[in-house]
Amino acid sequence: MNAKPMMIQPEQSDETEDSPEAVVTIHPMADRAENLRVVEAMLFNAAEPLALEAFKEFLPEGTNIEALLADLAENYEKRGVNLVQVSGKFALRTAPDMGSLFRKEKTEQKKLTKAALETLAIIAYHQPVTRAEIEDIRGVAISKGTLDNLLEIGWAKMRGRRKTPGRPVTYGTTEAFLGHFGLNELTDLPGLQELKAAGLLDANVPPGFDVPMPKLTDELTADEDPLDGNEQMPLEMHLPEEGAEPEELPADETPPHTEN
């Protein structure tokens, strides 16, 4: 005859399930190690630094959160992850001396705008060319940053200064420009017939339209002066000298409209 396991029935309490005395509460001095685990878990799961108020939601009332955070900071002090304060909030971050192990250099590809591509093409075919000449060819003013972007990625450069009033900066292309587009020299740029064949130009171009031949050398032309070292100011923002009258446009000339 098989023996049946003995079932021990819990003692029945005189208190009803709905009575206040039946509610189990966590004592304010709950186990400190468990509280440390809660704080640590919150920090690991947080997507952003946590304020002190965030910890109060998951810890017993009266818990000394500052002391817990100080303990964790000490525990992590010599490890690969440190507890740090960010704008008064708390977060786990890679130890400063370990950051270099995970740093990767990555070249970010920038997509040029239509305005930048048009500007680059004008510089390539018309160099040396000034900002005003670029605007005259395009028919619109160059928005702020267009030339800056071309200079930053290294496809355009400042060549010199035009020997005209105001001495505007002249621009040209670079070896990096040739390398990126697979050109051996500037004369390898497509001419009028090549552009037509590629469908980049209308077959019926206006009379007299031509594609200029780019310059073959980086040497300054007869109408250029060397750069004077003051070209690091906002590009081509040549302010008039103090007391000088602003240059006026001829009566029959209107300023170019700006790009959208």
Side-chain angles (χ1 to χ4, degrees):
M1 183 175 182
N2 296 331
K4 294 183 179 180
M6 183 180 295
M7 302 297 294
I8 301 177
Q9 298 295 331
E11 296 182 1
Q12 297 295 327
S13 173
D14 294 336
E15 298 172 348
T16 62
E17 202 175 80
D18 295 331
S19 65
E21 291 78 2
V23 177
V24 178
T25 59
I26 301 176
H27 194 276
M29 299 301 293
D31 182 41
R32 184 180 182 82
E34 185 65 20
N35 290 342
L36 279 171
R37 294 182 65 218
V38 172
V39 173
E40 187 177 32
M42 291 180 65
L43 290 167
F44 265 107
N45 284 278
E48 55 188 22
L50 298 176
L52 285 175
E53 290 73 17
F55 297 101
K56 294 179 180 179
E57 183 179 353
F58 296 92
L59 292 171
E61 184 178 353
T63 300
N64 190 339
I65 301 173
E66 291 87 345
L68 294 175
L69 290 168
D71 284 352
L72 279 180
E74 184 177 354
N75 292 341
Y76 280 98
E77 186 176 3
K78 301 298 183 182
R79 300 174 67 177
V81 176
N82 296 156
L83 177 58
V84 298
Q85 279 191 270
V86 181
S87 300
K89 300 179 180 181
F90 298 86
L92 292 172
R93 293 288 186 267
T94 303
D97 59 324
M98 302 295 290
S100 60
L101 296 177
F102 308 102
R103 184 176 296 115
K104 294 183 179 179
E105 300 294 334
K106 182 179 179 181
T107 302
E108 181 180 356
Q109 298 293 334
K110 290 187 176 180
K111 185 176 180 180
L112 292 182
T113 62
K114 178 182 177 182
L117 287 172
E118 291 177 355
T119 300
L120 180 62
I122 292 171
I123 293 174
Y125 282 97
H126 294 266
Q127 59 188 304
V129 62
T130 66
R131 180 185 185 120
E133 291 166 345
I134 295 172
E135 292 177 339
D136 184 57
I137 294 170
R138 290 193 64 225
V140 294
I142 302 176
S143 62
K144 176 175 172 52
T146 298
L147 276 173
D148 296 23
N149 288 337
L150 295 176
L151 293 170
E152 181 183 352
I153 62 179
W155 290 354
K157 65 181 179 180
M158 293 182 283
R159 290 174 44 100
R161 287 189 175 275
R162 183 80 77 204
K163 294 179 180 179
T164 56
R167 302 181 66 246
V169 170
T170 56
Y171 295 92
T173 54
T174 64
E175 289 186 5
F177 164 79
L178 295 176
H180 181 83
F181 289 97
L183 304 172
N184 183 44
E185 54 187 22
L186 287 173
T187 52
D188 293 333
L189 285 168
L192 179 60
Q193 298 306 319
E194 289 89 345
L195 291 173
K196 282 184 178 179
L200 299 175
L201 281 180
D202 193 326
N204 299 317
V205 296
F209 179 85
D210 195 10
V211 176
M213 178 65 67
K215 303 294 182 183
L216 303 180
T217 177
D218 286 337
E219 295 181 5
L220 297 179
T221 60
D223 63 346
E224 286 181 289
D225 281 330
L227 297 171
D228 51 25
N230 297 323
E231 293 78 22
Q232 300 306 317
M233 295 295 290
L235 300 177
E236 289 292 89
M237 295 294 289
H238 303 294
L239 300 178
E241 297 182 1
E242 186 175 356
E245 293 293 331
E247 184 178 354
E248 294 184 359
L249 293 171
D252 59 346
E253 185 176 345
T254 58
H257 66 278
T258 57
E259 301 168 349
N260 293 327

